[in-house]
Amino acid sequence: MSFEPDEYRKALDRAHSHALEWLDSVPTRPVRPSATADELDFGMALPDGPTDAAEVIDELVRKAEPGLMAIPSGKFFGWVMGGTLPAALAADWMVSAWDQNSGLRYATPAAAAIEEAAGAWLLDLLHLPPTAAVGFATGGTTANMIGLGAGRGDVLHKVGWDVNTRGLQGAPTITVLAGAEVHASVELALRYLGLGMPQLVESDAQGRIRPDQLALALAEIDGPVMVALQAGNLHSGAFDPIGECVDIAHENSAWVHVDGAFGLWAAASPRWAAELEGLAGADSWATDAHKTLNVPYDCGVAIVADHNAVRTAFGAHTSYLIQSDDGPPDPFELVPEMSRRGRGIPVWAAIRSLGRTGVTELVEGLAENARALALALSELDDVEVLNDVVFTQVCLSFGSDERTRAVTQALIADGEVWMSGSRWADRDVLRISVSNWSTDAADVATSVAAVRRAMERAAAS
Ligand SMILES: *Cc1c(COP(=O)(O)O)cnc(C)c1O
């Protein structure tokens, strides 16, 4: 095989025009896919020989089309998923074209410098300590693992145990405390770290951990301890009383990690200053750029106040890697991956295109649309908004659990918008997450009409 510049041009030209066709279709196509994974036509036997690259792209796009979910749509409110800002998407194409393996400052200086700049901007926007280490991981789950992994090493080090050499076998027991509505990804992260399930602390009606209960739980614990707090409850959007909990936890020598996969972005607006007071006092934070910031998958952000804690946990010091110990950390020391794409580069482009005010308006706009949806829907008969709508999340009940499930099914079958079914506070709910930068007043109106239609259909069936 030899290098044929024209092959790239032909394949990329096809990808470019298919991408624009797709993006043009997003505002008007049904949000839901029209085929299931089993129905798609990718099951052919392994081809014997080569196919022209441009033809491969045509075939890929043609066959994928019925199985695409319009996640970039302003009418997509499922789970917690952002869309893609134009600058971030275009920068992501450059990441692929440049093909920089972004682990070492020495080897890929542009990727390292861009990600360091993006990291510094993030700390500035979120009012976190400017000296914190910022690692670009695959997502919130991995970012939670990084923060808690740095904490695991640190709390054990303080009792004279080096987890890197001795592992966890025979180690002092680490107790991890988390609110009763801890996100499943924190439990996964603890599983990866060999720490098992957290000890749950009672939370209030909005899912916020109760500081008095946290204090009581901490008083019972002897030995190394970590506390996992939450900024942005998946169902209510609520924020744990972080400052108060950080103080209590630090009095008890605990490491404090904050899962802020989508909610950490509230720190970019003065509106949530009271809720997030004391946030900067935690030891580590996890967030997602692929949610609220609207960059393409995959992009999580792991922030650790103490460089050494994260470098000790995730850095490898082997002779074949060219690095210096006193300069800034190499990117690979801050995340589990050694080889990886420059996933912080679209973050730089997103923030560069929005500016400080643009990021603030993005976050505030999501919350305003959530309030507008909650308000309009609460005016429909038999619709109850179950949560205090403090951020981007809205949980609806349509009366009985059965009726809520029927409305959810009718809404998804209708396809014009997408919202997720879930269960919260012992009720089946229809959950709305406003995470897309492009959702506007027209999308809100269309979505309210779609819910009303689904209610009528559910009542008729
Ligand atoms: C989405 C989410 C996560 C997990 O993030 P991924 O990017 O999906 O790994 C963790 N915590 C909360 C609160 C979330 O909403």
Side-chain angles (χ1 to χ4, degrees):
M1 294 203 198
S2 61
F3 179 74
E4 283 286 350
D6 213 40
E7 284 254 342
Y8 279 120
R9 180 172 307 283
K10 283 192 278 183
L12 287 171
D13 280 349
R14 296 309 300 143
H16 182 214
S17 85
H18 287 307
L20 292 177
E21 249 169 66
W22 155 254
L23 292 168
D24 285 344
S25 79
V26 161
T28 49
R29 65 188 285 133
V31 175
R32 66 162 161 70
S34 59
T36 65
D38 292 333
E39 286 162 5
L40 294 174
D41 185 22
F42 286 98
M44 65 188 191
L46 175 67
D48 279 333
T51 303
D52 171 71
E55 266 176 51
V56 170
I57 297 306
D58 285 341
E59 178 186 336
L60 175 72
V61 170
R62 189 179 65 251
K63 290 183 167 179
E65 166 67 25
L68 294 172
M69 171 81 93
I71 293 176
S73 163
K75 296 185 295 275
F76 180 87
F77 304 102
W79 302 279
V80 186
M81 298 186 182
T84 301
L85 289 161
L89 172 56
D92 201 57
W93 287 6
M94 295 314 301
V95 171
S96 291
W98 285 336
D99 197 21
Q100 304 289 289
N101 186 344
S102 307
L104 292 166
R105 295 184 98 240
Y106 165 85
T108 51
I114 296 165
E115 290 194 340
E116 284 169 13
W121 285 349
L122 280 172
L123 297 175
D124 185 348
L125 283 165
L126 302 176
H127 305 287
L128 296 177
T131 52
V134 181
F136 291 96
T138 49
T141 308
T142 315
N144 279 329
M145 184 186 75
I146 294 169
L148 291 163
R152 181 186 71 168
D154 187 71
V155 297
L156 285 176
H157 177 73
K158 288 190 173 130
V159 292
W161 187 272
D162 177 4
V163 74
N164 283 357
T165 51
R166 302 176 76 181
L168 286 176
Q169 316 210 50
T173 299
I174 301 176
T175 308
V176 183
L177 297 172
E181 294 195 14
V182 61
H183 192 270
S185 70
V186 170
E187 294 176 343
L188 274 178
L190 293 171
R191 193 193 297 172
Y192 305 155
L193 292 167
L195 296 175
M197 292 293 273
Q199 182 181 320
L200 297 183
V201 177
E202 198 180 319
S203 49
D204 68 15
Q206 297 300 316
R208 292 173 295 224
I209 194 170
R210 283 181 47 183
D212 58 328
Q213 296 296 315
L214 177 65
L216 287 176
L218 280 164
E220 297 288 309
I221 296 163
D222 198 22
V225 54
M226 297 201 281
V227 176
L229 300 175
Q230 181 168 260
N233 177 293
L234 187 59
H235 289 100
S236 67
F239 305 92
D240 282 348
I242 292 172
E244 205 180 329
C245 293
V246 166
D247 290 345
I248 297 168
H250 282 170
E251 275 161 29
N252 289 272
S253 309
W255 178 279
V256 183
H257 173 75
V258 180
D259 172 15
F262 65 95
L264 205 66
W265 294 92
S269 162
R271 276 191 206 173
W272 292 278
E275 282 87 344
L276 292 178
E277 211 217 301
L279 177 70
D283 299 293
S284 58
W285 305 261
T287 193
D288 266 325
H290 59 218
K291 289 182 178 171
T292 313
L293 187 63
N294 280 257
V295 308
Y297 296 97
D298 42 25
C299 189
V301 187
I303 304 169
V304 181
D306 175 4
H307 276 229
N308 276 330
V310 67
R311 289 176 90 168
T312 303
F314 291 94
H317 294 261
T318 51
S319 55
Y320 67 90
L321 299 168
I322 303 158
Q323 58 190 354
S324 82
D325 273 331
D326 24 81
D330 274 309
F332 85 88
E333 296 181 280
L334 309 176
V335 293
E337 298 90 351
M338 283 211 157
S339 296
R340 66 171 175 87
R341 68 193 276 101
R343 59 170 63 91
I345 295 171
V347 172
W348 183 90
I351 300 175
R352 179 74 181 86
S353 74
L354 293 168
R356 188 187 300 277
T357 54
V359 174
T360 306
E361 280 165 24
L362 165 65
V363 177
E364 292 176 353
L366 301 177
E368 274 159 27
N369 283 323
R371 290 184 74 87
L373 278 162
L375 187 68
L377 289 166
S378 69
E379 282 166 3
L380 304 181
D381 283 345
D382 302 324
V383 178
E384 194 187 343
V385 176
L386 297 183
N387 63 312
D388 295 343
V389 181
V390 294
F391 196 49
T392 55
Q393 310 295 102
V394 184
C395 277
L396 303 169
S397 167
F398 296 85
S400 67
D401 285 351
E402 200 187 351
R403 185 135 189 275
T404 299
R405 284 197 300 272
V407 174
T408 303
Q409 276 164 16
L411 186 77
I412 286 172
D414 175 86
E416 191 168 18
V417 307
W418 184 285
M419 298 169 184
S420 304
S422 186
R423 199 168 163 81
W424 185 59
D426 279 333
R427 311 269 296 268
D428 278 350
V429 295
L430 178 65
R431 189 182 60 211
I432 299 173
S433 173
V434 184
S435 304
N436 194 293
W437 68 280
S438 72
T439 300
D440 60 15
D443 292 325
V444 168
T446 305
S447 304
V448 172
V451 172
R452 191 198 313 239
R453 213 162 48 235
M455 289 172 69
E456 284 160 12
R457 284 194 194 146
S461 66

